Amino acid sequence: MTDVSSDFIEQKKAELEEDDPRRKLETLCQERRIECSWIWHEPVGLRFRVGFPNGREKRWQYITIDEAQGILSVDFPAFTYMGDFDAALFTTSQTIEAAIRSDLSNFAFFEIPGVKKIEHPQLEFPVLEEDVEDEPRFGPRIRPTDAWVLEFSPTPDRPDLKVEMGSASREFTVISDRRRRRVIARDRTPLPNGLGRFPTLRISGVQVTRHDEALDLLKRISGAIFFELDLQYGVAASIIPSFASERARRGSRVQQERAQRSPRNPQNQYPEKPLSLYWYGRSSGIPLLEYLAYYQVLEYFFPSFSHRDTLEKLRNELLDPRFRADDDSNLVRIISLTSGTGKGFGSERDQLRSTIAGCVTEGHVRDFIENNEVLHEHFSGKQKIKDVAHLNLADARNDFLTAVANRVYEIRCRIVHTKEDGGRDAADLLLPFSKEAEELGPDIELVKYLAQKVLIAGASHLRL
């Protein structure tokens, strides 16, 4: 974004085509008190952005001419985005719609009994074909290019609540992040009647107007539906996060400087078991599992680094001229140094500290954080993960590596321990789909960096 005067912006706006749909969208936004503005970007030029409602927050999006035309084609429905999901509450129709995916593939949805193909997508209210018994659930009758729907039977206590999965509605297609993502062309091209080529969960008749109530309803209903689909049909589904939250978790990861030289044959070999854990973390795609996988890489090396640290302390104790073998207090110090739990010496927190100190220096970690804007802001700004150690980059007097080890350990405990595990004063469990989990990206980058460093420290010469 380039800093230019408002007069310059107005001059560039005057050069737009009179029928530019962004002009009309701007007028509608102003009528509905939705914040919007024009921005000059080099070298792109003039861009239009809208702060769509998202509860008490805004979800800012740059709108292209095609996207503005799409939003206007459905009469700019009254809606609010929902939390950190690619989901929206359409307030006029009292409908919640959320983009979903299956961990297997979206084809897995077609395997569920009751899926129907929409035969007449050109009609405003598509007619559905009747079920045909003894037909294969997935085959020529329902193809990836077909519009489809799966209706759930209503519950007796809420007959007015309609729940279904299927091709995205025309209204949701034009506002969904899914349309805005750079995915394969067939996924971005709508079906006839504007239906999207991606699946959604739709909940109609919700009778709520407040964002928080709708978000709570979406979480409860989707959680129950997806769990039972997994139980009955083995289909693991989830709501897709918004583009912004996914960038916060993934896209804002450290932009590593790539080596300029061509790759060479490897000179090192790395321990098989911790390397397997590292690749599990890289391929997980689930923040909490990824964090734990990298932590387990560090944990694998606890014995070797804690022994090394303890031996150094023991050596220093024995070399002290004041040490006396006939002094019980001296021997007690020796016993305390060599007494540990498990395969390593010291508490788990101490072993983690020894492992981190054995593979990186304070300068390494400071440079890693300070040289990346996202990491620096995350660790220096307001705490986004509660009940964990704060990394004070400005404080050069305290032991920075101890603070790093404490933070890594305390986040790990919040993932695997409940409050009951640690007593009354223990921290709350860090839940998978919480706001804190969405903010965990920079901490994942930190523990991944430490896992990389400990793998390097544990490497040996590659023998072929």
Side-chain angles (χ1 to χ4, degrees):
M1 186 169 57
T2 306
D3 187 16
V4 296
S5 67
S6 57
D7 290 341
F8 179 82
I9 294 292
E10 290 300 320
Q11 176 186 340
K12 291 300 179 181
K13 280 179 60 178
E15 296 174 4
L16 296 175
E17 298 289 339
E18 289 187 7
D19 59 351
D20 190 312
R22 293 175 296 178
R23 288 178 174 273
K24 184 176 181 181
L25 183 57
E26 179 186 22
T27 301
L28 290 175
C29 286
Q30 291 169 346
E31 291 174 355
R32 298 186 184 186
R33 298 182 179 179
I34 296 175
E35 192 172 347
C36 61
S37 62
W38 293 86
I39 305 293
W40 182 260
H41 264 182
E42 292 286 0
V44 179
L46 192 64
R47 302 184 71 184
F48 179 60
R49 67 173 189 160
V50 178
F52 290 109
N54 188 9
R56 287 179 289 274
E57 301 176 355
K58 293 182 177 66
R59 188 178 296 184
W60 285 96
Q61 293 182 349
Y62 286 101
I63 305 298
T64 66
I65 293 176
D66 289 342
E67 288 166 347
Q69 187 64 58
I71 294 173
L72 294 172
S73 71
V74 292
D75 297 325
F76 193 10
F79 74 93
T80 176
Y81 286 116
M82 300 180 62
D84 294 319
F85 297 116
D86 187 5
L89 165 66
F90 294 95
T91 53
T92 303
S93 62
Q94 289 285 278
T95 298
I96 295 171
E97 189 162 4
I100 60 175
R101 63 185 168 206
S102 170
D103 293 346
L104 304 173
S105 77
N106 288 335
F107 298 159
F109 293 130
F110 300 164
E111 295 280 359
I112 302 173
V115 172
K116 302 175 183 179
K117 181 171 65 174
I118 299 177
E119 288 283 25
H120 304 287
Q122 73 276 11
L123 300 179
E124 184 176 359
F125 298 100
V127 178
L128 306 179
E129 66 176 358
E130 296 297 328
D131 283 336
V132 180
E133 295 183 2
D134 300 325
E135 282 278 338
R137 294 195 300 270
F138 180 75
R141 290 187 57 77
I142 300 180
R143 299 162 298 180
T145 54
D146 289 329
W148 61 281
V149 68
L150 172 64
E151 296 177 331
F152 292 79
S153 301
T155 55
D157 58 331
R158 284 298 304 271
D160 57 321
L161 194 68
K162 181 181 179 182
V163 180
E164 61 184 17
M165 294 194 315
S167 301
S169 71
R170 187 163 175 253
E171 289 75 15
F172 188 72
T173 297
V174 298
I175 66 167
S176 169
D177 283 351
R178 184 74 174 164
R179 182 177 175 85
R180 302 170 59 81
R181 295 166 194 261
R182 296 195 177 280
V183 294
I184 53 178
R186 70 175 188 184
D187 219 13
R188 302 213 318 258
T189 305
L191 295 164
N193 201 36
L195 295 175
R197 290 185 182 273
F198 57 93
T200 62
L201 174 69
R202 289 184 295 277
I203 309 169
S204 305
V206 294
Q207 298 179 358
V208 294
T209 56
R210 293 183 62 249
H211 166 272
D212 292 354
E213 293 176 354
L215 182 59
D216 176 67
L217 186 66
L218 172 63
K219 288 180 178 179
R220 287 189 289 114
I221 291 180
S222 65
I225 285 176
F226 295 155
F227 180 64
E228 293 183 12
L229 287 180
D230 189 27
L231 286 178
Q232 298 180 70
Y233 311 109
V235 176
S238 60
I239 301 174
I240 297 176
S242 70
F243 187 52
S245 67
E246 201 163 66
R247 285 190 64 187
R249 187 197 313 165
R250 293 289 182 189
S252 64
R253 291 289 183 85
V254 178
Q255 298 300 312
Q256 296 174 324
E257 291 187 12
R258 301 186 183 275
Q260 298 301 309
R261 61 179 183 272
S262 300
R264 66 179 184 180
N265 284 339
Q267 306 295 306
N268 298 332
Q269 61 184 14
Y270 304 93
E272 179 182 357
K273 292 180 180 178
L275 186 61
S276 176
L277 289 168
Y278 176 82
W279 284 120
Y280 174 69
R282 289 290 280 152
S283 62
S284 167
I286 302 174
L288 302 191
L289 291 181
E290 187 175 359
Y291 189 96
L292 289 179
Y294 297 142
Y295 184 89
Q296 286 181 298
V297 174
L298 297 172
E299 196 173 35
Y300 179 88
F301 290 94
F302 280 3
S304 58
F305 282 99
S306 64
H307 277 102
R308 188 181 308 174
D309 193 38
T310 302
L311 287 174
E312 186 64 29
K313 292 177 181 178
L314 182 60
R315 183 178 294 109
N316 292 338
E317 190 72 26
L318 293 175
L319 288 174
D320 190 329
R322 294 166 296 180
F323 175 79
R324 293 177 56 87
D326 57 350
D327 188 332
D328 287 351
S329 63
N330 287 183
L331 295 179
V332 167
R333 284 202 302 271
I334 297 295
I335 292 172
S336 66
L337 284 174
T338 57
S339 61
T341 57
K343 296 181 180 179
F345 288 111
S347 67
E348 183 170 350
R349 191 190 293 263
D350 291 338
Q351 293 183 68
L352 175 62
R353 169 66 175 82
S354 298
T355 301
I356 291 175
C359 64
V360 293
T361 65
E362 180 177 315
H364 283 143
V365 183
R366 283 187 179 275
D367 288 346
F368 175 73
I369 294 174
E370 291 175 345
N371 290 337
N372 182 270
E373 183 180 345
V374 174
L375 297 187
H376 190 272
E377 180 182 350
H378 177 80
F379 292 113
S380 299
K382 183 180 178 181
Q383 283 277 68
K384 296 181 179 179
I385 313 296
K386 65 180 183 180
D387 298 324
V388 299
H390 179 60
L391 301 186
N392 190 348
L393 297 170
D395 185 0
R397 295 172 298 175
N398 293 321
D399 187 344
F400 187 68
L401 288 185
T402 295
V404 170
N406 286 339
R407 185 180 181 93
V408 169
Y409 177 76
E410 288 160 4
I411 290 178
R412 175 260 181 193
C413 289
R414 286 204 56 201
I415 294 174
V416 301
H417 293 165
T418 63
K419 179 171 285 192
E420 288 73 15
D421 291 332
R424 185 175 58 186
D425 298 329
D428 288 332
L429 185 67
L430 206 164
L431 296 171
F433 301 107
S434 64
K435 182 68 173 177
E436 286 185 301
E438 295 292 338
E439 300 284 0
L440 202 58
D443 280 285
I444 293 175
E445 285 301 313
L446 175 59
V447 73
K448 183 179 79 172
Y449 170 77
L450 296 173
Q452 292 170 341
K453 285 295 189 180
V454 77
L455 280 167
I456 294 171
S460 58
H461 183 68
L462 179 62
R463 293 181 176 87
L464 302 176

